[in-house]
């Protein structure tokens, strides 16, 4: 049964004086009131118990020798009613043994009769200190109970949320052992519902790349969130999953483990593949008729150069130019589809970048000359290690970058292509003195179809697909591309490619 809390206000500790002598009752009342007790009195045990039942006192001053119910019995009854009530027994000197017996039965203290006011004050104050201390302890215990209950509710609420998340979720500790898995995670990896937790992540997940990533994050090797890659992988032949993992950080930013969410991206993958197939098919179908039109226009233009009026010639020349841009666009789209299906980087062989860049620079020199630009290639004296890549991919990367440098540099500008060893990588830079690119466009020019439109570039035709192709190819070769540019001061594209060991 819930117990009524004993009064706790320091100025209002409730004391009940049970004594058959009116002078003791009244005397005690006066003394105790003066030291801020709230005082009730009763002239016998029965009345006292009744009063206690109705209005619980924290302290009882109990005379042991009263007519009617015996003091010892009253003491026992009070203890049964509420064992937190402090009882100070009042006995004559002659009955000191009674006091000892009472103490054995749970009385807190005793005071011999007759007593001085100072004696009563001392005993009462001591009892009050004890009562306040008990109340404080009880309050702390109640608070602690409440906090624990709150924590428990919070914990079960969080558990319910994690359990109902539609994304698969797994949490590991710093050793990469599984601490928590939700049902969606079990389903994603076809694990039985009752699979025991606590084993290393590799016991539950067979994909080695994912296990390695989770281990790295669990060990705290990725405290910077931005450098954590999204990991895509296939399960069986027709399901694709995407994992996003983050470290779980403690208050002092120390790594406590990893939390990983898994989403099924099969539908996205299928749509993406259908889109790529569609683009590839349409591009393929368009390319041959367009090329035919282009060729025919060229023939007509050549044959009728003298006979036709100037305006007709101009019309035909523009039509030829347009077909040329369309063919370039289709070429880019086909390149992109090939990169996506992975066929552009299939033919890996050792390639000497020195020779390849030499060829490209030779080929594009005509274009630079037409714009009165200098195009120079600066090679290191020693032979650089070769790169393991598809030569077509490398041609596409550097052809695009050098052509861009020529296109986006005014007449008379300079373009330098440099090559050097950088640790286990080869670093190529294409440096121009061209228009430069404002910071707000610098990331975006690597997006598909993004072109900067300003006074300088207005009349330059292009597809906006060159740099996305370059970026995808560089990434697929395990390399990196960086841009430094300042509007009006030219641009430097730096490509880092790993050398073949
Ligand atoms: P495209 O050249 O066909 O427009 P890209 O993807 O190759 O497509 O380039 C995207 C845009 O980036 C270009 O339209 C141009 O505005 C800008 N850009 C690329 N290279 C340079 C460069 N070297 N200098 C200045 N701007 C450039």
């Amino acid at each position: 049964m819930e117990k009524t809390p004993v009064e706790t206000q320091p100025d209002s500790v409730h004391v009940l004086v049970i004594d058959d002598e009116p002078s003791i009752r009244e005397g005690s009342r006066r003394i105790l009131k003066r030291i801020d007790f709230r005082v009730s009195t009763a002239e016998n045990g029965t009345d006292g118990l009744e009063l206690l039942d109705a209005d619980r006192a924290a302290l009882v001053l109990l005379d042991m020798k009263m007519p009617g119910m015996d003091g010892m019995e009253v003491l026992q009854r009070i203890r049964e009613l509420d064992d937190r009530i402090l009882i100070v027994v009042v006995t004559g000197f002659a009955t000191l043994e009674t006091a000892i017996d009472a103490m054995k039965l749970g009385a807190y203290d005793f005071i011999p009769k007759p007593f001085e006011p100072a004696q009563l004050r001392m005993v009462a104050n001591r009892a009050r200190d004890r009562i306040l201390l008990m109340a404080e302890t009880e309050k702390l215990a109640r608070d602690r109970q409440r906090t624990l209950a709150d924590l428990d509710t919070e914990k079960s609420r969080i558990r319910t949320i994690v359990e109902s998340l539609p994304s698969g979720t797994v949490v590991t500790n710093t050793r990469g052992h599984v601490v928590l898995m939700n049902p969606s995670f079990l389903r994603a990896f076809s694990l039985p519902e009752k699979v025991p937790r606590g084993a290393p992540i590799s016991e539950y997940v067979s994909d080695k790349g994912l296990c390695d990533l989770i281990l790295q994050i669990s060990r705290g090797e990725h405290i910077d969130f931005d450098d954590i890659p999204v990991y895509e992988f296939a399960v069986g032949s027709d399901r694709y999953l995407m994992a996003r993992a983050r470290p779980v950080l403690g208050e002092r930013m120390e790594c406590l483990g990893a939390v990983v969410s898994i989403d099924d991206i099969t539908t996205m993958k299928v749509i993406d593949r259908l889109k790529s197939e569609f683009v590839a098919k349409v591009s393929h179908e368009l390319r041959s008729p367009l090329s035919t039109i282009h060729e025919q226009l060229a023939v007509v233009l050549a044959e009728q150069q003298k006979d036709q009026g100037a305006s007709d010639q101009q019309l035909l020349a523009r039509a030829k130019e347009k077909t040329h841009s369309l063919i370039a666009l289709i070429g880019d789209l086909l390149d992109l589809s090939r990169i996506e299906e992975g066929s552009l980087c299939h033919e890996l062989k050792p390639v000497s970048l020195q020779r390849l860049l030499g060829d490209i620079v030779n080929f594009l020199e005509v274009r630079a000359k037409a714009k009165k630009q200098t195009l120079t290639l600066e090679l290191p004296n020693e032979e650089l290690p070769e790169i393991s890549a598809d030569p077509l991919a490398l041609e596409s990367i550097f052809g695009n970058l050098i052509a861009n440098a020529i296109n986006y540099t005014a007449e008379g500008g300079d373009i330098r292509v440099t090559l050097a060893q950088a640790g286990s990588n080869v670093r190529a830079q294409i440096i121009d003195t061209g228009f430069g690119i404002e910071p707000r466009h610098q990331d975006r020019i690597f997006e598909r179809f993004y072109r900067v439109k300003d006074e300088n570039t207005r009349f330059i035709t292009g597809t906006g697909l060159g740099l996305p192709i370059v970026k995808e190819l560089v990434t697929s070769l395990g390399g990196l591309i960086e841009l430094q540019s300042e509007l009006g001061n030219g641009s430097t594209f730096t490509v880092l490619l790993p050398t073949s060991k």
Side-chain angles (χ1 to χ4, degrees):
M1 204 174 77
E2 184 77 12
K3 286 180 176 169
T4 343
V6 175
E7 287 195 60
T8 57
Q9 288 299 307
D11 54 348
S12 70
V13 170
H14 184 190
V15 53
L16 170 65
V17 183
I18 309 178
D19 203 307
D20 59 326
E21 283 180 57
S23 60
I24 300 265
R25 286 203 303 274
E26 279 321 299
S28 306
R29 180 201 294 278
R30 263 201 318 278
I31 296 165
L32 294 172
K33 265 188 109 168
R34 229 174 282 139
I35 52 171
D36 292 327
F37 278 91
R38 176 159 79 86
V39 191
S40 317
T41 55
E43 60 178 67
N44 57 48
T46 320
D47 286 2
L49 283 166
E50 240 169 59
L51 258 175
L52 269 184
D53 217 11
D55 184 7
R56 190 67 45 94
L59 173 65
V60 173
L61 213 64
L62 176 63
D63 183 14
M64 293 305 278
K65 214 156 166 279
M66 288 182 292
M69 199 190 291
D70 167 47
M72 207 59 87
E73 191 186 340
V74 182
L75 172 83
Q76 273 169 321
R77 298 272 293 272
I78 296 176
R79 302 275 304 146
E80 279 161 26
L81 182 71
D82 189 337
D83 60 4
R84 293 168 308 160
I85 298 174
L86 287 197
I87 305 166
V88 173
V89 293
V90 184
T91 56
F93 277 122
T95 55
L96 208 59
E97 265 167 36
T98 321
I100 294 167
D101 288 346
M103 301 287 273
K104 280 186 190 155
L105 280 178
Y108 167 69
D109 207 348
F110 75 94
I111 182 163
K113 233 179 192 178
F115 50 78
E116 298 289 320
Q119 262 176 306
L120 178 60
R121 275 200 297 272
M122 199 181 74
V123 172
N125 275 331
R126 198 161 56 211
R128 174 159 57 193
D129 288 348
R130 162 88 190 215
I131 287 164
L132 294 178
L133 200 70
M134 268 163 46
E136 186 61 21
T137 315
E138 237 178 69
K139 182 173 170 291
L140 285 177
R142 269 202 310 276
D143 286 354
R144 189 160 168 270
Q145 203 72 35
R146 198 172 309 131
T147 319
L148 286 176
D150 285 354
L151 274 179
D152 233 32
T153 323
E154 192 63 17
K155 230 165 84 184
S156 76
R157 196 178 303 150
I158 290 173
R159 192 176 304 132
T160 315
I161 293 171
V162 173
E163 294 282 300
S164 356
L165 281 178
S167 299
T169 307
V170 62
V171 180
T172 54
N173 63 15
T174 44
R175 288 181 299 140
H177 289 210
V178 169
V179 178
L180 189 151
M181 291 187 274
N182 72 354
S184 309
F185 181 85
L186 298 175
R187 271 196 301 279
F189 290 92
S190 312
L191 292 164
E193 211 177 294
K194 296 250 176 309
V195 65
R197 279 45 173 182
I201 185 73
S202 52
E203 300 275 313
Y204 310 91
V205 174
S206 57
D207 190 279
K208 187 165 179 314
L210 179 59
C211 290
D212 288 348
L213 179 68
I214 295 178
L215 262 178
Q216 282 169 15
I217 297 171
S218 302
R219 289 198 207 110
E221 289 169 28
H222 282 278
I223 296 297
D224 181 5
F225 283 16
D226 292 335
D227 70 349
I228 300 177
V230 170
Y231 185 80
E232 288 182 15
F233 59 106
V235 182
S237 58
D238 55 355
R239 268 183 72 224
Y240 294 91
L241 299 180
M242 180 175 74
R244 274 174 295 206
R246 290 281 177 270
V248 181
L249 299 182
E251 272 175 29
R252 278 167 283 119
M253 296 304 277
E254 76 279 23
C255 181
L256 305 174
V259 54
V260 186
S261 78
I262 305 278
D263 288 297
D264 194 321
I265 51 162
T266 310
T267 327
M268 256 165 62
K269 279 276 175 194
V270 170
I271 292 174
D272 206 44
R273 201 186 61 227
L274 287 177
K275 187 208 74 193
S276 302
E277 281 172 9
F278 174 77
V279 170
K281 198 164 172 55
V282 170
S283 315
H284 196 76
E285 294 295 322
L286 282 176
R287 187 151 73 166
S288 34
L290 256 179
S291 302
T292 314
I293 295 169
H294 187 73
E295 294 305 319
Q296 285 166 352
L297 279 173
V299 175
V300 172
L301 262 172
E303 275 179 5
Q304 300 192 342
Q305 221 165 16
K306 288 167 195 126
D307 314 341
Q308 290 286 321
S311 64
D312 278 358
Q313 284 233 357
Q314 231 178 16
L315 263 173
L316 285 174
R318 271 182 66 77
K320 185 174 157 247
E321 220 175 84
K322 290 285 170 204
T323 52
H324 181 75
S325 334
L326 278 174
I327 291 167
L329 168 66
I330 286 166
D332 284 350
L333 285 174
L334 279 171
D335 270 357
L336 271 180
S337 337
R338 282 192 209 115
I339 294 171
E340 276 168 0
E341 79 186 28
S343 63
L344 198 62
C345 284
H346 264 168
E347 297 259 322
L348 298 191
K349 48 181 153 184
V351 185
S352 151
L353 213 48
Q354 265 142 313
R355 228 158 298 139
L356 186 119
L357 280 180
D359 291 346
I360 298 175
V361 166
N362 273 343
F363 179 73
L364 290 174
E365 209 152 31
V366 190
R367 273 206 228 171
K369 274 215 179 100
K371 287 184 79 176
K372 302 188 182 63
Q373 296 164 336
T374 56
L375 172 60
T376 46
L377 175 62
E378 296 167 19
L379 294 174
N381 293 329
E382 75 280 14
E383 186 74 20
L384 290 180
E386 292 180 317
I387 285 183
S388 166
D390 186 331
L392 282 181
L394 289 175
E395 270 170 30
S396 181
I397 294 171
F398 293 105
N400 262 306
L401 290 176
I402 301 172
N404 273 353
I406 298 171
N407 278 343
Y408 300 104
T409 297
E411 291 211 350
D414 299 318
I415 293 131
R416 284 164 54 219
V417 180
T418 69
L419 191 62
Q421 173 107 36
S424 59
N425 296 305
V426 164
R427 180 176 55 226
Q429 289 193 302
I430 294 89
I431 307 156
D432 66 47
T433 57
F435 308 136
I437 304 158
E438 276 182 78
R440 65 192 168 106
H441 298 302
Q442 289 184 7
D443 279 336
R444 303 213 55 196
I445 55 171
F446 292 96
E447 292 171 14
R448 290 179 189 191
F449 301 110
Y450 192 85
R451 306 197 67 226
V452 179
K453 292 199 181 78
D454 61 21
E455 276 310 299
N456 292 322
T457 57
R458 218 147 56 104
F459 297 108
I460 302 171
T461 52
T463 60
L465 286 172
L467 289 178
I469 290 176
V470 169
K471 182 149 188 175
E472 293 227 22
L473 287 173
V474 171
T475 312
S476 72
L477 292 173
L480 208 82
I481 178 160
E482 272 175 8
L483 164 64
Q484 278 167 323
S485 186
E486 203 181 310
L487 195 63
N489 271 331
S491 314
T492 298
F493 284 85
T494 304
V495 177
L496 278 176
L497 291 172
T499 52
S500 40
K501 299 262 157 45

